[in-house]
Amino acid sequence: MFSLKNKKTVVTGGGSGIGRAIATLFAKQGAEVHIIDLSLESAQETLDEIKKAGGTAFSYACNVADQKEVVATFEKIGNINILINNAGIANVGKVDTTAEADFDRVMDVNVKGVYNCLFAAIPQFRLSNGGVIINMASIAAWVGIPDRFAYSTAKGAVMAMTLSVAKDYIGENIRCNSISPARVHTPFVDGFISKNYAGKEAEMFEKLSQSQPIGRMGKPDEIAALALYLCSDEAGFITGCDYPIDGGFIKLNN
Ligand SMILES: NC(=O)c1ccc[n+]([C@@H]2O[C@H](COP(=O)([O-])OP(=O)(O)OC[C@H]3O[C@@H](n4cnc5c(N)ncnc54)[C@H](O)[C@@H]3O)[C@@H](O)[C@H]2O)c1
């Protein structure tokens, strides 16, 4: 079960955190993994990890917010089978404390970046007679996390894009789902804590762990396992759905 043998898979933001965990697990399951990241160095680290474990992978420096770069990269990769739209950035602020430049930056990466990769992937899926897409949303899309206006807005758009794409391409054998993690312990979280809560890192880490009723943050490997199931042939009946993976955050936090 859950074999991805010879499936050509693109993982955006595959150089770190959740993207790295997905890239390495998919390679272990037999996929040919193409790692896209703003940072070629990080993508290269994931590539080295995969190769050391005997897998097949390639790395590319590419800004998902730049459509020309994205289309050129996907054309180089060729007829893909799986797209993991995972690259994303964080931002703290309410509507009146979010600067226009920060709003634009979050939209460029977290919304336009997803659109750009979908735009570039669809023609490649057609060459493969179908495909599977996972968009990385967030519990922020479900509940609107306090002080995360731009981020929550962007992830809401990711969820709506998932429905739109699932509907438009269902006749072309393309499945599209999204995953909504609560807090997952990755460099994304560590970077956000050190930037915004300097001197109170341990306290903030504990607070963020306890915001999941289960009492801890998620692990990147746990998100990767869900992505693997959703991309496998075993999940062939699943499309147009969002999957929270949240230690009880959405339903049990009251
Ligand atoms: N970690 C969490 O708590 C959490 C929770 C919910 C959702 N998510 C989402 O999961 C995804 C991955 O998060 P993570 O925690 O692994 O983050 P991370 O910061 O560890 O990794 C993100 C990767 O994306 C890359 N990236 C950023 N901007 C890019 C761009 N413009 N073009 C190409 N690559 C770019 C970064 O270089 C980095 O390697 C994001 O979309 C994030 O919003 C994370």
Side-chain angles (χ1 to χ4, degrees):
M1 282 177 101
F2 312 128
S3 168
L4 297 181
K5 200 164 167 38
N6 300 327
K7 299 275 188 198
K8 216 182 242 199
T9 301
V10 173
V11 183
T12 72
S16 174
I18 296 170
R20 176 172 290 181
I22 292 175
T24 52
L25 178 61
F26 278 37
K28 207 183 282 176
Q29 295 304 110
E32 176 187 304
V33 177
H34 297 259
I35 306 149
I36 287 182
D37 207 288
L38 202 51
S39 155
L40 187 58
E41 209 182 332
S42 312
Q44 199 65 35
E45 279 173 24
T46 305
L47 179 83
D48 291 344
E49 205 175 309
I50 290 173
K51 287 206 164 153
K52 215 180 282 170
T56 307
F58 304 85
S59 60
Y60 310 82
C62 173
N63 178 2
V64 295
D66 182 324
Q67 189 167 105
K68 279 202 187 89
E69 261 184 45
V70 171
V71 169
T73 305
F74 276 68
E75 278 175 355
K76 210 184 292 168
I77 297 169
N79 43 334
I80 66 169
N81 305 105
I82 298 171
L83 167 64
I84 310 290
N85 253 323
N86 165 78
I89 56 172
N91 188 247
V92 173
K94 304 187 204 317
V95 68
D96 64 321
T97 56
T98 299
E100 187 182 11
D102 287 333
F103 186 83
D104 287 346
R105 198 169 47 85
V106 172
M107 290 303 142
D108 266 0
V109 179
N110 294 9
V111 179
K112 192 174 171 217
V114 174
Y115 147 68
N116 283 340
C117 293
L118 293 166
F119 180 85
I122 296 294
Q124 304 300 333
F125 281 141
R126 287 200 177 111
L127 297 173
S128 310
N129 298 315
V132 189
I133 301 160
I134 298 290
N135 296 326
M136 205 53 71
S138 163
I139 46 125
W142 282 76
V143 296
I145 303 181
D147 219 15
R148 302 287 185 284
F149 169 70
Y151 185 76
S152 302
T153 304
K155 292 302 186 182
V158 170
M159 219 188 258
M161 278 194 276
T162 301
L163 293 174
S164 168
V165 167
K167 207 166 264 181
D168 283 342
Y169 300 98
I170 197 164
E172 295 192 66
N173 196 28
I174 295 173
R175 297 191 293 113
C176 183
N177 295 293
S178 56
I179 293 178
S180 283
R183 212 59 78 179
V184 180
H185 189 204
T186 67
F188 181 90
V189 170
D190 291 335
F192 145 83
I193 291 178
S194 60
K195 187 175 160 209
N196 297 287
Y197 302 94
K200 289 191 193 159
E201 285 91 347
E203 195 184 310
M204 201 54 204
F205 188 88
E206 187 51 25
K207 193 173 164 202
L208 292 180
S209 298
Q210 293 308 324
S211 64
Q212 284 71 229
I214 217 162
R216 64 168 175 89
M217 296 190 199
K219 299 173 193 162
D221 286 348
E222 292 171 324
I223 313 304
L226 176 57
L228 171 61
Y229 169 61
L230 291 174
C231 290
S232 70
D233 290 343
E234 283 75 11
F237 198 49
I238 302 179
T239 192
C241 282
D242 180 77
Y243 285 79
I245 172 163
D246 67 353
F249 188 97
I250 295 174
K251 298 265 175 79
L252 309 183
N253 247 339
N254 51 39

